[in-house]
Amino acid sequence: MISKDGSAVAYFADDELYLYKGGKSQKLASEVSSRYLVIAPDGSAVGYATEDDEGKFKGYVWDGKENELGKKKVPYALSKGASLVYYLKLDDSNSVESFNVQKKYNEDTKNKLADARYSNIIFNADNTQILVYDGEAEKTFYSENGGEKQQAFKYSVSAIRPANTYASKNLKNAYYYNNSDDKIVRLTNKLETVTVATKVSGAQLSTDGKTFVFLREEKLKKVDGSKAEPEAIDLDSDVSSFGCTEDCSTVYYIKDGEIFAKKGTGDSKRVTDEEPGYSALYNGKTFLYSLDDALYSSTGD
């Protein structure tokens, strides 16, 4: 498992757990279960669990030394230095009873975030903020720095990002999918929700969480969410699919079997008059595509 910043890797070798960081590996523990393994975003802490002969789990966190979470408690996520520990509480049959957070290893600071039917967990960049859907309450709750949960949505949401995570440090004033409807909504700083797009068939959000491009009824639109009153700008119509650079400054899209690129608010440029057999965005800014067994690249031209 690789840390978010790519600086560390937690891995197993011969049933032993190691951490690779700073150019060297060190052994953390032996006889560790491979079922539960987490690492802090900066690689400063690792969470894991052991399993006894009766199949019962006990959780631990290494932050320079081994710390015990306790029986029937297995780590789910960590913040820097394990200042926040997110964990699952298990019952005697190893089923999840609850999803919780606490500060370090102090059980007195424990806050329950959701019951057993938890889903759609979204973290910010450093795991100090979280959104989690509680299936029992049928609501999405927000917690910051291990504090008590607050209602954020009356429905389930997903991040408009791969892997359901944000590169930014703030989950507030950011955009999400309403999973019960084809809508994009914004969560304000006061944990209020504003609908900003409906009938959405696809969307991509910039890494800073401010700008997004979406497709509605084959019309391609862009929203600058950094403005006080964001409005959707029309980019093109009769579009079948699209992809964006990480900052959403350039949009590549397919129209009538041809590939076009649009930079900012400028005119669209034809990249190729044939639909490629394969296409992908490399390193967040270069568009790669294949035609007739040859590989091509474009940066918006």
Side-chain angles (χ1 to χ4, degrees), residues 27 64 111 249 290 301:
K27 178 182 170 182
N111 279 310
S249 61
S290 64
D301 298 298

Side-chain angles (χ1 to χ4, degrees), residues 2-35:
I2 304 174
S3 61
K4 281 185 182 180
D5 66 359
S7 68
V9 182
Y11 65 95
F12 292 100
D14 298 325
D15 297 325
E16 295 180 330
L17 177 62
Y18 291 83
L19 177 66
Y20 177 83
K21 187 175 175 64
K24 61 181 181 180
S25 290
Q26 65 180 116
K27 178 182 170 182
L28 303 186
S30 301
E31 300 180 359
V32 175
S33 171
S34 60
R35 185 171 174 180

Side-chain angles (χ1 to χ4, degrees), residues 6-207:
S7 68
V9 182
Y11 65 95
F12 292 100
D14 298 325
D15 297 325
E16 295 180 330
L17 177 62
Y18 291 83
L19 177 66
Y20 177 83
K21 187 175 175 64
K24 61 181 181 180
S25 290
Q26 65 180 116
K27 178 182 170 182
L28 303 186
S30 301
E31 300 180 359
V32 175
S33 171
S34 60
R35 185 171 174 180
Y36 300 103
L37 179 63
V38 298
I39 187 170
D42 63 343
S44 59
V46 178
Y48 49 94
T50 59
E51 185 177 4
D52 63 22
D53 294 337
E54 297 179 351
K56 306 299 182 184
F57 289 97
K58 179 187 289 187
Y60 297 86
V61 174
W62 181 92
D63 61 359
K65 64 178 182 178
E66 186 176 75
N67 302 274
E68 185 176 316
L69 282 182
K71 294 180 179 179
K72 302 180 184 178
K73 295 168 67 173
V74 292
Y76 186 92
L78 305 169
S79 65
K80 182 179 180 180
S83 59
L84 297 176
V85 179
Y86 300 86
Y87 68 92
L88 304 176
K89 181 70 170 65
L90 308 179
D91 62 18
D92 290 335
S93 62
N94 287 335
S95 296
V96 176
E97 282 186 348
S98 60
F99 179 66
N100 310 274
V101 62
Q102 68 183 35
K103 295 180 180 180
K104 279 286 188 177
Y105 319 109
N106 185 357
E107 292 188 8
D108 293 337
T109 63
K110 167 193 168 184
N111 279 310
K112 187 171 81 169
L113 300 175
D115 288 311
R117 290 174 56 196
Y118 69 93
S119 63
N120 290 18
I121 295 172
I122 304 171
F123 286 104
N124 67 338
D126 59 8
N127 289 358
T128 56
Q129 296 177 335
I130 184 174
L131 286 167
V132 55
Y133 180 69
D134 187 329
E136 296 291 336
E138 297 184 343
K139 296 176 183 178
T140 297
F141 293 99
Y142 169 86
S143 174
E144 184 172 354
N145 293 323
E148 291 187 7
K149 63 184 182 183
Q150 300 172 267
Q151 180 180 307
F153 300 97
K154 296 180 180 179
Y155 40 79
S156 169
V157 297
S158 298
I160 315 172
R161 294 289 306 159
N164 226 24
T165 188
Y166 270 93
S168 60
K169 291 187 176 182
N170 196 1
L171 294 182
K172 296 179 181 179
N173 202 28
Y175 296 90
Y176 304 89
Y177 275 124
N178 176 344
N179 290 331
S180 61
D181 206 344
D182 297 326
K183 295 180 180 180
I184 294 176
V185 295
R186 180 168 61 90
L187 183 67
T188 70
N189 286 322
K190 296 182 179 180
L191 296 181
E192 299 170 341
T193 57
V194 179
T195 299
V196 293
T198 60
K199 299 180 181 178
V200 175
S201 58
Q204 184 172 330
L205 187 74
S206 59
T207 52

